[in-house]
Amino acid sequence: MFQFFKRSIAAVVLLVIPYMTWGHSAMFPDNYKFDESNNGGLSQEQRRLSANFQSVEFCLNGNAAGYPCRNIDLMAFFSKTSMGGGSANLNDIWGYSDPLTGAEIAIVGRTNGTSFIDVTVPDAPLYLGFLPSHNNGTSAWRDIKVYNDHAFIVADGFSNRSHGLQVFDLRTLRNLPSPGQTLSETAHMSGFGNAHNIAINEDSGYAYIVGSNQCSGGLYTVDISTPNNPRYAGCFSSDGYTHDAQCVIYSGPDSFYVGREICVGYNEDSITIVDMTDKVNPQQLSRTVYQGSRYTHQGWFLDDNHTFLIMNDEQDETSRGQNTTSYIFDVSNLNGPVETGRYVGPTRAIDHNLYTNNGYVYESNYRAGLRILDAANIASGNLQEVAYFDTIPSSNSAQFSGAWSSYVYFSSGNIIVSDIGNGLYVVRPDWNAIQNQILTNSQ
């Protein structure tokens, strides 16, 4: 009944006030408000890092240049004031590997635009340029994904109500006249205004805009197969607002759906799975809730077997007074996902974005930094922390500051981490130490 009223009210609002932006959340407020209190004083090493620092600092005895760590080395730090955009805070981050030059590029979201940093030489990052927000809107939320050598950017908030989809051709970074350029968007799509997030299925050439002022905040589908000419392709609005999503060509154990385009939406109070193969007639497969939910935020499949996913709830730490909690679901049956376990971390930090790669889970847990979890025993509902790098040394409290997100897919093995108030960290896991730790723990 509640869902019926939720959708009915949404329909009335869209009919009566068609030109107003959809609220940031159709159901619950996203309580994010940057809070850098209780940071404590900076150590001498951290003050040395406060501008730009380009020298490898190995994690020794739990410390790398004043930052708490385990099995992760600090390669470089780039302050937020050194990457264009003035002193604007950071938010989401993604990466691009140039297929022609091999360059590894950090694409860093800011409250007022997007910065591009060459991190190919990890201990000597190079600021390339800054792309201002479309129509110069500002907001805490900006999200970027990459497809076919192009970055696709959305932004949330009232001042971005005309932002739409910003497209930037990443190949132009090869031939800049000099570093530090102010860049211009390559193309733009105006079918929607502000949006909270974007998911791209690189195997299909479709982007899914979520949390926008269209489609009841649900999966607003865009054909990006021709990147500089994005086109509206369909909409899934039956479950209302989607905060984040992952969309794949399914290759999991649920044989009926193999080869179909499946989106997993994180919809504030549920994990909602949708078959998006037919863009004009999508089919909801399941809507899964879980005990103790407060704000179903984001998650990721463990691997391309599409059997398990791990997700985070952004408000359970603050509202329930619990340590960082990650939720494990068996999705062997797309019509009936089952929660199989929870990983409870060692701190009270709020968990934010997580991604997976090669059997590991990479969590950006705000004031507790980047945490790496071994998923070898996920079938038993267990995860084990094996490494971390903490960008706010003095506090792991449940506050909205610190590590927003990470990008973990560079072939070099280097990881980039966006810290909201500080800047860009380039780090590298010590895999020998991690494997030794796992071996020790198993004995």
Side-chain angles (χ1 to χ4, degrees), residues 169-419:
D169 188 340
L170 294 160
R171 296 170 297 183
T172 62
L173 298 175
R174 299 170 184 164
N175 301 305
L176 295 176
S178 61
Q181 297 291 306
T182 298
L183 306 171
S184 299
E185 62 190 36
T186 305
H188 181 259
M189 177 185 177
S190 58
F192 62 95
N194 56 297
H196 188 75
N197 222 313
I198 178 173
I200 289 180
N201 184 354
E202 296 184 47
D203 292 326
S204 70
Y206 284 93
Y208 295 89
I209 314 300
V210 298
S212 78
N213 62 341
Q214 298 294 324
C215 193
S216 298
L219 294 160
Y220 182 94
T221 308
V222 179
D223 181 349
I224 57 170
S225 56
T226 303
N228 61 2
N229 185 29
R231 294 167 294 168
Y232 172 75
C235 164
F236 173 77
S237 60
S238 298
D239 195 41
Y241 178 91
T242 297
H243 191 80
D244 208 329
Q246 182 186 14
C247 300
V248 301
I249 301 300
Y250 183 73
S251 58
D254 198 337
S255 59
F256 183 82
Y257 297 103
V258 170
R260 301 185 69 82
E261 188 156 20
I262 301 298
C263 289
V264 181
Y266 298 91
N267 287 21
E268 299 190 300
D269 66 343
S270 71
I271 299 171
T272 300
I273 300 180
V274 185
D275 184 344
M276 291 296 300
T277 308
D278 185 345
K279 306 299 184 288
V280 298
N281 187 31
Q283 300 296 314
Q284 182 172 309
L285 305 183
S286 59
R287 187 179 192 281
T288 304
V289 297
Y290 53 96
Q291 184 177 9
S293 71
R294 290 296 182 270
Y295 199 95
T296 311
H297 177 260
Q298 185 263 356
W300 213 251
F301 282 112
L302 174 63
D303 52 35
D304 291 339
N305 293 325
H306 299 148
T307 302
F308 294 100
L309 62 81
I310 306 96
M311 56 80 59
N312 48 67
D313 185 306
E314 195 180 17
Q315 294 183 19
D316 52 356
E317 289 81 21
T318 53
S319 65
R320 297 175 63 85
Q322 64 192 37
N323 279 14
T324 311
T325 301
S326 307
Y327 301 79
I328 303 168
F329 284 83
D330 184 328
V331 286
S332 299
N333 177 4
L334 294 180
N335 299 109
V338 176
E339 184 186 337
T340 57
R342 298 184 181 188
Y343 167 76
V344 179
T347 80
R348 287 286 306 281
I350 301 169
D351 45 354
H352 202 229
N353 293 352
L354 68 82
Y355 297 98
T356 62
N357 194 25
N358 294 327
Y360 292 88
V361 183
Y362 298 78
E363 298 187 343
S364 297
N365 291 348
Y366 280 137
R367 294 177 75 89
L370 175 68
R371 323 293 289 203
I372 301 180
L373 311 179
D374 178 16
N377 294 317
I378 196 171
S380 301
N382 295 315
L383 300 170
Q384 177 188 7
E385 184 177 278
V386 294
Y388 66 83
F389 182 87
D390 189 347
T391 62
I392 299 186
S394 61
S395 169
N396 291 323
S397 60
Q399 296 174 233
F400 291 107
S401 49
W404 181 289
S405 195
S406 67
Y407 181 78
V408 302
Y409 302 113
F410 286 136
S411 60
S412 66
N414 297 316
I415 297 172
I416 47 178
V417 180
S418 57
D419 180 285

